[in-house]
Amino acid sequence: MTRIVIIGGVAGGASAAARARRMSESASIVMFERGDYVSFANCGLPYHIGGDIESRDALLLQTPQSFKQRFNVEVRVRSNVEAINPTEQTVTVRNLDTNECYQQPYDKLLLSPGAKSVPPPIEGLSSNRTFTLRTIPDMDQIQALIDRDKPSHATVLGGGFIGLEAAEALRQRGIEVALVEFGKQVMANVDAEMASPLHQELRDHGVDLRLATALTAVADNGDSLTLTLSNGTSLNTELLILATGVKPETELAKQAGIALGPTGGIQVNSRMETSVANIFAAGDAVEHVDLVTGQAALIPLAGPANRQGRIAADNMLGGDKHYQATQGTSVCRVFGLTIAATGSSEKALLKAKRPFEKIYVHPMNHAGYFPGASAVSLKLLFNPDDGTILGAQAVGKDGIDKRIDVLAMAIRANLSVFDLEEQELCYAPPYGSAKDVVNLAGFVAANYLRGESDICQVEDVLAPSPEQVILDVRNPPELANVGTIDHAINIPLDSLRQRLDELDPTKEYLVSCMVGLRAHVATRLLLNSGFKAKNMTGGYKTYQMVKAARAVAP
Amino acid sequence: MTRIVIIGGVAGGASAAARARRMSESASIVMFERGDYVSFANCGLPYHIGGDIESRDALLLQTPQSFKQRFNVEVRVRSNVEAINPTEQTVTVRNLDTNECYQQPYDKLLLSPGAKSVPPPIEGLSSNRTFTLRTIPDMDQIQALIDRDKPSHATVLGGGFIGLEAAEALRQRGIEVALVEFGKQVMANVDAEMASPLHQELRDHGVDLRLATALTAVADNGDSLTLTLSNGTSLNTELLILATGVKPETELAKQAGIALGPTGGIQVNSRMETSVANIFAAGDAVEHVDLVTGQAALIPLAGPANRQGRIAADNMLGGDKHYQATQGTSVCRVFGLTIAATGSSEKALLKAKRPFEKIYVHPMNHAGYFPGASAVSLKLLFNPDDGTILGAQAVGKDGIDKRIDVLAMAIRANLSVFDLEEQELCYAPPYGSAKDVVNLAGFVAANYLRGESDICQVEDVLAPSPEQVILDVRNPPELANVGTIDHAINIPLDSLRQRLDELDPTKEYLVSCMVGLRAHVATRLLLNSGFKAKNMTGGYKTYQMVKAARAVAP
C-alpha cells in the first residue's frame, strides 16, 4: 500500500488525487488544504462577482465529502502543513480549528501549494476594504462588501488576467472602476501593441485606466480609502482589489531543503520530482521549462497544473510519465474583446536573445460577406532562418481562441510558417474563410521567407531613412475617414500600375494599406516593375496599434 | 512573356489569376468563365436565400472590371471553352453572346472548371420549378420564384452541405420544407451516429425529413410538382432543389486527352500538372490524394481549391511548389447545431481496410459552471498500434469548429493521441476548460492504448455475450429522466466501492454512465479490485446516437 500525501487541494493537487485513485485502489491518499475549500473553480471567481455565474455553489467542483465518496480520498481542509520532514517521511500538520499538531507519514508526497499574491511594497494594504481575489473567502468578502456598502467606486491594482476580469466584473455590478497598472500596458504576457486595443475597450466601458502608474500610499478613511498614485494624483475609493501578480508558495519546500530554480519556483524534473526523494511538486509553485526558449519560467496556468498533477500521480504510483515544457497558452475576455496568446512574445524573445521575425494580419474571423464578421488581429513570431513558429498573439471580438489554439498546436508540433500555408481548416461562411486567418498568416510569413515579398515594420515607417518613401495605397476616402500615415504619399492600388512613372527607382518604397493585403499586391507590382519595395506588415491597423502603445503616458 | 490561360473563374481559377499577377507583371493572363460571374461566393448562396446575407452584391467578390483594374487580368465571361488543342497550345472559345468562336493561344493553361451537379436518373427534372444551387443565376431564379409564387412548400433532394443549407434557408423564409435523402443519414462525410443529432435538429425546426428515401418520379402540374418517393408516398411541392452531389467537370479534359484518375477526376501531380505538358488543373475537377488513406479521392472543397490554384500559378510561372494531400476538413451549420469533420470517417477507414480504434467524448465547450455551456460530441479515430490520429468528427452547439481545426492541425502534423494529452490550449471559463475537449479525447484514447482502461463500443453493449454484464453507474434519477440502457444493471458510481460484493468476478462488466467519465472511474475501480471491466466509450449519449442512427427507416 502506497501512502500518498498531497499538500494543496486545488488544480494540481485535486487532479493528482483523482488520478491516483484511478490508478490504484489500494493506495492511501490524504490531501491537506489550508483553506476551507478544495477543488474550487478559482478561474470563475470574478465571474460570480460580475453576475455571469449566478450560483456560488457552481464554483465548488468537489467537496471533501464527494472526494471521499467517489475517490476514497481523505481531504482535510483547514489543515496547514507546517513542516515536511524528509528523513522521517512525515509532514507536520496543524488543525486550524483545534490548533493541534500531528505528524502524517507518507511514502510519496506531492507539493501543490500554488502561488501567493505579491502586494506592492507599501503600507496600508491591511485595510478591510482591500482584498485579493484568489479564493472563495476572498470572493465572499468582496461580495459582502458590495452588498453591504453598495460602493460607488472601486479600484483594481494590476492589469493582468485577474485584474482585467475583476474590473469587468465590478463594472457589470454598476460600480465605477479605476484600473491602476504599473506597466505601460495591461496583459504583460502579450506585446504592447497587441494590448492597446484592450486599453480602448476598457475606456469604452467606463474603466478609468491609469497606465504607467504606481500606487504609492493608501490611507484608510473608514468608509473609504484614499489612494495616492505615482503621478501625484489621488483616488477616493471604497474597495481595492490587489491583482499585482503572484509568486510560488515555496516556504515549505525551502524549509525541507527542496531545491528552488533560478526563478524562485520549485525545481522539478520532467517526472515532476523535486530534488528530495519521494517528494513531487506540481502547479503554480513549480518552475516550468518554456517550450520555445527552453529557459526556466514561472507560468501559473490551470491547464499545465492539472496535467502536472496527473503525471505526478502516475509517477508516485510507479509510472514513468513525463511532462513536456509549457508554452503559456492563455486567453482573457475583456468586455467585448478576447485576447489570447501562445508561445513567446516579442519581448520574451528579445529578452532571451532569440532571433525572430514578426508579421501581422487582420482578416475577418469568418467570410466577410456573412453578417457579424469582425477582424482577428494576429501577430505571428517565427524563426527567420527556418520559419519555425515561436509565438502568436491575437485580439478581436470573435474567433480569437480558435486561432490561438490552432497555433498552439502548431508550436507544440514544432511546425513552421510553411506548414501554416497548407493547413486545411473548417470553412463555411459562418465559421471561417477558404483562406483562414491561420493560412493567411502562413502566406505572409512564407512569402517573406521565400524572398517573394520583403516586409518592413511600423517601426521602420515611423523612422524612414532619406532613401525611403512611404507609399499608402488606400483610397482617398479611407484616408479621410480612418486616418493617415505620417509622411506617406498616396497612390491607390488600382491606379498604381498607371502611375508608376511618378515613382523614383532610386528610392525604396515602404508600402502600406489598411491591413497589408493591398500593400502586398502593390509591393509585388513594384518589385516586378523594377522598383525597391517592402510591405509594412499589418498595414494601418498595426500602425495605429503601435502608435497607441507608444503614446501611453501616466 | 508567359501567356497564361485559365478556364473557370471561381475559387481555384480566381486564386490562380491573382497569384499569377503578383508573381509576374509581364505575364498575359486571360481567364474564361462560361457563366456571367467570376469569383463569386458560391458558399454564400444559401445564406442569401435564407436572409442571413441581405445584399446580393456582397456575394460578388470580384468583377471582370475589378480583376482588370487591380490585377491586369483579362476576364471573359459568357465565354465557353469548347476545346483544348494541346498540339497547337490553343483553346477554342465560343463567345456565348455573339456565338462566335476563336482560338486563344497559351503557354500555360490552368483547368479549373469545377464540378457539376449529378441529378438522379429520373425524368421530369427539367421543370421550371426545379433548380440546382451552384451559381448566382441559380440563386436568382430560386429567389424570383419565392418572391413571385410565395410557395408554401419546397423540397430539397439530398442532405449534403448544400441540401442542408438550402433546407435551413427555406425554413428561414417561412416555407414548409421536405428534405429527401437517399441514404440513411444526412452529411454522408460523417458517420451515421454523428449525423443523428442533425436529424433531430432538422425535425425540431420543422423540416419533414425523409431518410432512406429516393425520388422516383416528378410530375409537373404547372403551379406545383408531384414527387413520387420510393416508399410509395408522394409530395406536392412548389419548388424542388436538387442537391444530390457533384462530379468533376471533365469533358474538356477528356477531349484533350488529359488523363483522368480512378475516381473520374482529372489526374494531377503535386505540382498540379496534368498528364499533358503545360496544362495544369485545380479545384473540384481534380482528383485529390486523401491525406490519411493515401488513396485517390474527390474532395470538392473551397480551401483546397484555393490553395491548388495558388500553387498552380506559381508553377506556371517557373516555380516549384507542391500541393500536399487533402484531408477533407469541413463544417456545416444546421440550424442551432454545427457539425464538422476532418480526416477519415469510420466508414472511409472500413472501406480502405485501415485498422482503427474509436473513442467518443461529450465534454462541455467551456467551463460547465460558466453560463451557456453546451456539449461537444467528439468522435476520434486513431491507429490502434501507434495512436496516430486518423480522423475526427464533432457535433454540438458551440466550439465545434475550434476543436476540429485543432485536430485538423494535429492530423496534418501526423500527431498521435498521446500528443493530444499534452496540448496546451486556451483556457478561461468563457472559452474552454483546463482540460479541453481535445485533451480529454487524448486522455481517453491514450488510457486505452496504454492498457490503463479498456474500452468497448455501443455495438458491444447492444449485443453482449453471456459472459458480459452491462453496468450503468449513473444515479437512478438520471435513468428515470434520461433513459436506460437495455439489459443494464444499475449501481451508482458513488456506492460501487461498497457494493463490489454484488458483482461476479467471472463476468466481464461493460460499464456505462452519461458520457463515459464516471464509467472510466468505475472501470478503473473494478479493474483495480480484480474484476474484468471495459468502459463503453461515450456513455449513454453515444448509445442514444447509435440507436437513433440504427432506427432510421424510410
Side-chain angles (χ1 to χ4, degrees):
Chain A
M1 185 193 84
T2 306
R3 293 170 301 177
I4 292 176
V5 167
I6 297 171
I7 301 175
V10 194
S15 283
R19 175 76 176 177
R21 176 58 68 222
R22 290 198 300 271
M23 300 313 285
S24 165
E25 192 57 23
S26 66
S28 129
I29 307 172
V30 181
M31 186 159 77
F32 293 106
E33 168 59 43
R34 179 165 39 192
D36 292 86
Y37 301 93
V38 286
S39 196
F40 64 92
N42 42 8
C43 300
L45 303 178
Y47 299 102
H48 182 53
I49 293 175
D52 281 320
I53 300 170
E54 284 184 31
S55 160
R56 177 179 179 278
D57 284 349
L59 299 174
L60 306 174
L61 308 179
Q62 295 279 354
T63 63
Q65 293 70 37
S66 72
F67 255 114
K68 180 71 187 170
Q69 195 162 29
R70 178 154 301 177
F71 295 109
N72 192 23
V73 167
E74 190 174 336
V75 177
R76 300 189 196 156
V77 293
R78 300 187 55 69
S79 296
N80 190 42
V81 176
E82 305 211 323
I84 300 168
N85 316 300
T87 315
E88 298 81 11
Q89 297 220 143
T90 64
V91 294
T92 306
V93 187
R94 182 181 297 277
N95 179 325
L96 296 179
D97 289 325
T98 64
N99 211 29
E100 285 173 312
C101 272
Y102 59 95
Q103 307 293 314
Q104 180 76 25
Y106 67 80
D107 298 313
K108 304 287 176 186
L109 176 66
L110 176 64
L111 264 174
S112 180
K116 61 183 175 190
S117 296
V118 184
I122 57 170
E123 307 216 335
L125 295 179
S126 56
S127 137
N128 59 7
R129 295 185 170 278
T130 300
F131 306 93
T132 56
L133 180 49
R134 297 186 52 75
T135 66
I136 297 278
D138 287 345
M139 179 188 77
D140 289 342
Q141 289 173 43
I142 293 168
Q143 290 274 58
L145 186 148
I146 292 173
D147 293 343
R148 186 190 71 209
D149 290 4
K150 307 200 171 19
S152 61
H153 189 280
T155 299
V156 176
L157 189 66
F161 295 97
I162 294 175
L164 290 167
E165 289 166 355
E168 180 172 345
L170 294 166
R171 286 299 297 141
Q172 287 180 205
R173 293 289 293 265
I175 301 170
E176 294 296 313
V177 175
L179 176 57
V180 178
E181 162 61 47
F182 182 76
K184 292 179 79 174
Q185 64 168 100
V186 298
M187 282 295 275
N189 67 315
V190 303
D191 294 316
E193 77 282 14
M194 299 304 289
S196 72
L198 304 182
H199 301 163
Q200 191 58 49
E201 184 76 1
L202 288 162
R203 291 183 169 124
D204 287 349
H205 287 82
V207 174
D208 173 14
L209 179 63
R210 311 286 187 101
L211 294 170
T213 302
L215 175 63
T216 55
V218 178
D220 191 341
N221 316 314
D223 59 355
S224 73
L225 304 171
T226 299
L227 310 181
T228 305
L229 305 181
S230 57
N231 60 5
T233 64
S234 68
L235 280 170
N236 198 268
T237 201
E238 290 142 86
L239 167 61
L240 174 61
I241 295 183
L242 301 177
T244 42
V246 297
K247 67 176 183 185
E249 277 274 17
T250 53
E251 292 309 313
L252 265 182
K254 268 191 277 191
Q255 164 270 324
I258 293 170
L260 305 186
T263 64
I266 299 172
Q267 214 164 42
V268 287
N269 63 17
S270 66
R271 286 172 42 86
M272 307 314 296
E273 290 168 325
T274 69
S275 63
V276 173
N278 298 317
I279 303 183
F280 295 72
D284 293 0
V286 309
E287 181 170 284
H288 296 240
V289 174
D290 182 297
L291 178 71
V292 172
T293 65
Q295 297 181 346
L298 295 175
I299 308 178
L301 288 168
N306 276 281
R307 284 193 300 285
Q308 290 178 336
R310 198 166 179 269
I311 285 167
D314 283 5
N315 293 337
M316 287 193 291
L317 288 161
D320 188 28
K321 298 277 170 66
H322 293 262
Y323 180 75
Q324 311 296 331
T326 305
Q327 66 196 97
T329 308
S330 64
V331 64
C332 189
R333 186 182 83 175
V334 181
F335 296 99
L337 290 182
T338 299
I339 187 152
T342 186
S344 287
S345 63
E346 179 173 349
K347 52 191 169 185
L349 292 168
L350 286 169
K351 200 174 158 198
K353 298 192 167 57
R354 284 282 297 267
F356 68 89
E357 190 48 88
K358 60 181 175 180
I359 62 98
Y360 300 84
V361 294
H362 306 271
M364 294 290 122
N365 66 320
H366 61 57
Y369 56 79
F370 195 85
S374 59
V376 174
S377 290
L378 176 75
K379 176 178 187 174
L380 186 71
L381 296 145
F382 53 96
N383 183 319
D385 296 323
D386 60 10
T388 304
I389 306 160
L390 303 175
Q393 303 166 36
V395 61
K397 286 190 180 140
D398 205 8
I400 301 302
D401 52 326
K402 176 163 88 167
R403 274 60 184 218
I404 292 300
D405 274 359
V406 170
L407 290 165
M409 175 70 89
I411 289 174
R412 181 75 51 180
N414 204 28
L415 299 188
S416 77
V417 299
F418 303 106
D419 296 306
L420 298 186
E421 292 190 290
E422 306 294 338
Q423 292 309 314
E424 204 185 309
L425 303 170
C426 286
Y427 165 54
Y431 304 98
S433 297
K435 293 164 185 158
D436 187 76
V437 177
V438 169
N439 298 126
L440 272 180
F443 291 157
V444 172
N447 279 340
Y448 162 70
L449 288 179
R450 281 191 296 258
E452 290 168 7
S453 189
D454 203 1
I455 56 173
C456 66
Q457 301 293 341
V458 172
E459 291 85 333
D460 303 313
V461 166
L462 289 172
S465 75
E467 288 71 41
Q468 293 174 325
V469 176
I470 302 161
L471 170 63
D472 191 329
V473 297
R474 292 179 293 165
N475 295 320
E478 294 177 85
L479 275 63
N481 297 333
V482 180
T484 56
I485 292 172
D486 295 344
H487 312 300
I489 64 168
N490 176 232
I491 303 178
L493 170 59
D494 287 344
S495 55
L496 182 60
R497 190 171 277 110
Q498 286 74 46
R499 294 173 59 181
L500 291 176
D501 56 1
E502 298 176 26
L503 303 183
D504 179 348
T506 68
K507 301 286 189 184
E508 177 176 71
Y509 288 88
L510 307 184
V511 189
S512 177
C513 61
M514 196 62 206
V515 297
L517 186 57
R518 281 174 290 173
H520 171 55
V521 177
T523 301
R524 290 296 309 166
L525 169 54
L526 293 176
L527 291 171
N528 287 333
S529 304
F531 293 92
K532 287 173 281 187
K534 289 177 174 172
N535 181 359
M536 184 182 82
T537 176
Y540 184 76
K541 278 208 173 188
T542 304
Y543 179 84
Q544 271 185 310
M545 289 161 73
V546 172
K547 281 200 92 170
R550 290 186 171 205
V552 168
Chain B
M1 185 192 82
T2 306
R3 292 168 303 176
I4 291 177
V5 166
I6 297 172
I7 301 175
V10 194
S15 284
R19 175 76 176 176
R21 176 57 70 222
R22 290 198 301 270
M23 299 312 287
S24 165
E25 191 56 23
S26 65
S28 128
I29 307 172
V30 181
M31 184 159 79
F32 293 106
E33 167 61 42
R34 180 163 39 192
D36 293 87
Y37 300 93
V38 286
S39 196
F40 62 93
N42 41 10
C43 301
L45 302 178
Y47 299 101
H48 182 54
I49 292 175
D52 281 319
I53 299 170
E54 284 184 31
S55 158
R56 177 180 179 278
D57 284 348
L59 300 173
L60 306 174
L61 308 179
Q62 294 280 355
T63 62
Q65 294 69 36
S66 70
F67 256 115
K68 181 70 187 173
Q69 196 161 27
R70 178 154 301 176
F71 296 107
N72 191 24
V73 167
E74 189 172 336
V75 178
R76 299 188 196 158
V77 293
R78 300 187 54 70
S79 294
N80 190 43
V81 176
E82 306 211 322
I84 300 168
N85 316 301
T87 315
E88 298 82 11
Q89 297 222 142
T90 64
V91 294
T92 306
V93 186
R94 183 179 298 276
N95 179 324
L96 296 178
D97 289 325
T98 65
N99 211 30
E100 284 172 314
C101 273
Y102 59 95
Q103 307 292 315
Q104 180 77 24
Y106 67 80
D107 298 312
K108 305 287 177 185
L109 176 66
L110 175 65
L111 265 173
S112 181
K116 61 183 173 190
S117 296
V118 184
I122 58 171
E123 307 217 336
L125 294 180
S126 56
S127 136
N128 59 8
R129 295 184 170 278
T130 301
F131 305 93
T132 56
L133 180 48
R134 297 188 50 75
T135 65
I136 296 278
D138 287 344
M139 178 187 78
D140 288 343
Q141 288 172 44
I142 293 168
Q143 290 274 56
L145 187 147
I146 292 173
D147 292 343
R148 186 190 71 210
D149 291 4
K150 306 197 170 21
S152 61
H153 189 282
T155 300
V156 176
L157 190 67
F161 295 95
I162 294 174
L164 290 168
E165 289 167 355
E168 179 172 345
L170 294 166
R171 287 298 297 140
Q172 287 181 206
R173 294 289 293 263
I175 301 169
E176 294 295 313
V177 175
L179 177 56
V180 179
E181 164 60 48
F182 182 77
K184 293 179 80 176
Q185 65 167 101
V186 299
M187 281 296 274
N189 67 314
V190 302
D191 294 316
E193 78 282 13
M194 299 304 289
S196 72
L198 303 182
H199 301 162
Q200 191 58 47
E201 184 75 2
L202 288 162
R203 290 182 171 123
D204 286 349
H205 287 83
V207 174
D208 173 14
L209 179 62
R210 311 287 188 100
L211 294 170
T213 303
L215 176 64
T216 55
V218 178
D220 191 342
N221 315 314
D223 59 357
S224 74
L225 304 171
T226 299
L227 310 181
T228 305
L229 304 181
S230 56
N231 61 3
T233 64
S234 67
L235 280 171
N236 199 270
T237 201
E238 291 143 85
L239 167 61
L240 174 61
I241 294 183
L242 301 176
T244 43
V246 297
K247 67 176 184 186
E249 276 274 17
T250 53
E251 292 310 310
L252 264 183
K254 269 191 278 194
Q255 164 270 323
I258 294 170
L260 304 186
T263 64
I266 299 171
Q267 214 163 43
V268 287
N269 61 18
S270 66
R271 286 172 42 85
M272 307 313 297
E273 291 169 323
T274 69
S275 64
V276 172
N278 297 318
I279 303 184
F280 295 71
D284 294 359
V286 309
E287 182 170 282
H288 296 240
V289 175
D290 182 297
L291 179 71
V292 172
T293 66
Q295 297 181 346
L298 296 174
I299 307 177
L301 288 169
N306 276 280
R307 282 193 300 283
Q308 290 178 336
R310 198 167 179 269
I311 286 168
D314 282 5
N315 293 337
M316 288 193 290
L317 288 161
D320 188 27
K321 297 276 171 69
H322 293 262
Y323 180 75
Q324 311 297 330
T326 305
Q327 66 195 97
T329 308
S330 65
V331 65
C332 189
R333 186 182 83 175
V334 182
F335 295 100
L337 291 182
T338 298
I339 187 154
T342 186
S344 286
S345 63
E346 178 174 349
K347 53 191 169 186
L349 292 168
L350 286 168
K351 199 173 158 200
K353 299 192 166 55
R354 283 283 296 267
F356 67 90
E357 190 48 88
K358 59 181 175 181
I359 61 99
Y360 300 85
V361 293
H362 306 271
M364 293 292 123
N365 67 319
H366 60 58
Y369 57 78
F370 195 85
S374 60
V376 174
S377 290
L378 176 74
K379 176 178 187 174
L380 186 71
L381 296 145
F382 53 95
N383 183 320
D385 297 322
D386 60 10
T388 304
I389 306 160
L390 303 175
Q393 303 165 35
V395 62
K397 285 188 181 142
D398 205 9
I400 302 302
D401 52 324
K402 177 164 86 168
R403 272 61 183 217
I404 292 299
D405 274 358
V406 170
L407 290 164
M409 175 70 88
I411 290 174
R412 180 75 50 178
N414 204 30
L415 299 188
S416 77
V417 299
F418 303 105
D419 296 307
L420 298 187
E421 294 190 288
E422 307 296 338
Q423 290 312 312
E424 203 186 311
L425 302 170
C426 286
Y427 164 53
Y431 303 98
S433 297
K435 293 163 184 159
D436 187 76
V437 178
V438 169
N439 297 127
L440 271 179
F443 290 158
V444 172
N447 279 339
Y448 162 70
L449 288 179
R450 280 192 295 257
E452 291 168 4
S453 189
D454 203 2
I455 56 172
C456 66
Q457 300 293 340
V458 173
E459 292 84 333
D460 303 312
V461 166
L462 289 172
S465 76
E467 287 69 42
Q468 291 175 325
V469 175
I470 302 160
L471 170 61
D472 192 329
V473 298
R474 291 178 295 164
N475 295 319
E478 294 178 83
L479 275 63
N481 296 335
V482 180
T484 56
I485 292 172
D486 295 345
H487 313 300
I489 63 168
N490 176 231
I491 303 178
L493 170 60
D494 286 345
S495 54
L496 182 60
R497 191 172 276 109
Q498 287 73 46
R499 292 175 61 182
L500 289 176
D501 56 1
E502 297 175 28
L503 303 183
D504 180 347
T506 69
K507 300 286 190 186
E508 177 176 72
Y509 288 88
L510 307 184
V511 189
S512 178
C513 61
M514 196 62 205
V515 297
L517 186 57
R518 281 173 291 173
H520 171 54
V521 177
T523 300
R524 290 295 311 164
L525 169 54
L526 293 176
L527 291 171
N528 286 333
S529 304
F531 294 92
K532 288 174 283 189
K534 288 177 174 171
N535 180 0
M536 184 181 83
T537 175
Y540 184 77
K541 277 210 174 187
T542 305
Y543 179 84
Q544 270 185 312
M545 289 162 72
V546 172
K547 281 198 91 168
R550 289 185 172 205
V552 168

